[in-house]
Amino acid sequence: MGRQLEIDSVSKRYGEVVALDRMSFSVAAGEVFGFVGSNGAGKTTTMRIALGVLAADSGEVRYSGAVVDQETRRVIGYMPEERGLYPKMKVGEQLTYLARLHGLSSGQARKAVGEWTERLGVAQRVGDEVQKLSLGNQQRVQLAAALVHDPQILVLDEPFSGLDPVAVDVMSKVLLDKAADGVPVVFSSHQLDLVERLCHRVGIVRGGRMVACDTVDALRDGGGVRLVVEAPGAGVGWAEGIAGVTVREHVGARTVLELAEGADDQAVLRAALATGPVSEFRRGRQSLTELFRSVVSEEEQA
Amino acid sequence: MSGSDVRMSAWGAVGLVAGREVNTRIRSKAFLATTGVTLLVLVAFTLVMKFLSGTGGADATVGFAGQASALEASLKATATSVGQEVETRAVGDEAQGRQQVSDGDLDALLVGDGTSVQVVVKEDLDAQLRTTLTVLAGNIELNRQIVDLGGDPGQVNQRIGQAAIDVRPIEAPRDFNGEQMVLGMVAGILIYMSLLINGQSVAQGVVEEKSSRVVELLLATIQPWQLMAGKVLGIGAVGLLQMGVIGGVGMGLALAVGALTIEVSAAVGTVIWLVVWFLLGFVAYSLVFAALAALVSRQEDVGGVIMPPLTLVILGYVLGISILPGDPGNQLVEVLSMVPLFAPMLMPMRLAMGGVPAWQAGLAVVLVVALIPVLVWLSGRVYRNAVMRSGAKVKLTDALRSA
């Protein structure tokens, strides 16, 4: 399996509260893994344990088959959920310092700082104190801090939060480039459209457990067939009574239906035409957002 | 790990952390300002000391009118024998002399024919000058009697001058003088200020990392003990540099202008002891400060949490500075100066004053050195357990207990 990052049955509890319950997943070299779940589901705890900032009660984190130790952690690029840099230190000095803590020589560190600040669009600000930067630019510096030592593993907690669309594009490109270099990339996000677009595989966590973990395609297929019908004349309840059909969403002229196994989509089309003109009739799969919602609603029922 | 060429020794990381502390602090305005102001105060203090002691002049000025001038030499000799320095001055006549006395230019005016002591003063005769003049009057009468008895006053006085007393002390005398007293006080103030400033820097540095959350990024790379050790060593090095510059410049200046007349070797000894005790005191106290500061997450809470150890520093200093000048051999201070909590403040003061038995100086050092590993262990534990917990203040007992 090569250089993959494995989280193996990691558990953590705080007193009576179970934060992680046998959390397991792995990220292969060159793979972008999206980590999604509600707030408090255990994403940050998992990442902190992977970085050794928190100790697990049980379970292991391995890279290339070996348990991750202090030496391995030095090659991880980490972006904590709680952003943190020295507010009164200059951007360039700060990044150089962090790069050197990861083992770069001062020459290598300066060179890397130059490259990454250029690439992330903050090269003009290397002489400024971090606290004088806008939040968006601080975020870019934070990402530079995770990348400046040329990490062999990337673990990013909410890297897209607080970024403007241009920065989102820069960040997306960086993640895909790193993966193309053979680096396992894990990131958490609430922006599911981004996760869907960037990730090869996605893990959905709930209550400290991995409840779904597969490729984006496989996860979307799992929810059955969707029908999107746009019929301006269709009133509420037009599709009720058709065998094997459930209404998922009905907003304005647009209705999203879920078809059970063997349900007849032509019967749906006939029912729609009976209400008047139909401007769109399309088969599709559930989106990641829909899947995520159904997982969360299971949680509420549980 | 085969693919990693980025190995670094454990102390390499400590060195990087310490280097950052030194770099940021030495360039900070606060450091330059405190060092500059302290130096300025020290220079001013040295010059004032020099002015007060060196050009002090005579204790009293006495004028002589007319025939009374015959007493001038005898008065000077008498004054010297009783340890007073008297400046003498001849005045034109008695009227002029009286004028100078009432103007305050003269402390006293001797009048008469030189066979008896007649003194004109403004209001009253200064007590010490009265003693000198009384002895002078006695000598004049004694000489007259010797002549009457057919003796030679010169010969008698010579014999009297040769008579000496034999002093046999029961205890060896403490060899400190006024200068060493001042030196001790200055040493005490420097150590105290340095512990206060640099100790608080450590505490604030720990909380800065915690409140800015940068600590999570750092601890994802290095171990808590490396971060803590680097911080303590870095700030300690800055403090040491500051102390060395202040102590060296101050001592050099004092010796150069002659405000201090002690031997250079003694002065160097004082500076070395100052540095040793700064290092010991700083390491011991800053470990405690670092651990306690890790319990809180906001700068506003630092003051409260480090108050107990800070009180000990202040208490030690206040005890020393208030008791030692009046009573250099005070037993309470002598005992406390060997107790590790107070030694960093009290021992350097006593050492600068001199007269400290070698075993006491040694014992104090040994006890602090023995305490430091215990503090390293305890503080490391508290720091490691508390530094990642942001939000409400972490209880000290929780931080000590949880692994």
Side-chain angles (χ1 to χ4, degrees), chain A residues 3 48 51 53 70-74 78 80 82-86 89 93 97 100-102 152, chain B residues 1-3 6-8 16-17 20 27 208-209 212-214 216-218 220-223 388:
Chain A
R3 304 187 163 278
R48 283 183 167 172
L51 265 296
V53 173
Q70 197 64 26
E71 208 52 54
T72 319
R73 287 190 184 113
R74 204 156 280 148
Y78 178 46
E82 305 268 21
R83 306 291 187 247
L85 294 165
Y86 288 104
M89 208 170 165
E93 288 173 10
Y97 172 61
R100 297 211 56 199
L101 278 186
H102 282 88
Q152 294 166 28
Chain B
M1 246 187 61
S2 54
V6 286
R7 286 168 189 279
M8 184 172 27
L16 282 173
V17 174
R20 193 199 81 88
R27 284 181 297 171
E208 184 199 11
E209 279 164 4
S212 71
R213 317 275 189 184
V214 76
E216 184 169 350
L217 201 57
L218 298 174
T221 316
I222 59 175
Q223 305 269 21
M388 281 296 296

Side-chain angles (χ1 to χ4, degrees), chain A residues 201-270:
Chain A
R201 285 195 310 137
V202 176
I204 302 180
V205 253
R206 194 188 67 209
R209 303 193 65 160
M210 188 65 90
V211 289
C213 181
D214 213 329
T215 61
V216 175
D217 282 343
L219 285 172
R220 289 182 60 188
D221 284 344
V225 175
R226 300 287 153 129
L227 268 185
V228 179
V229 181
E230 190 137 352
V236 176
W238 66 271
E240 275 169 22
I242 309 170
V245 171
T246 320
V247 178
R248 282 276 169 216
E249 203 181 304
H250 187 162
V251 181
R254 188 183 171 89
T255 312
V256 178
L257 303 166
E258 186 177 332
L259 298 191
E261 198 77 24
D264 180 7
D265 56 356
Q266 297 308 306
V268 177
L269 179 60
R270 279 194 295 277

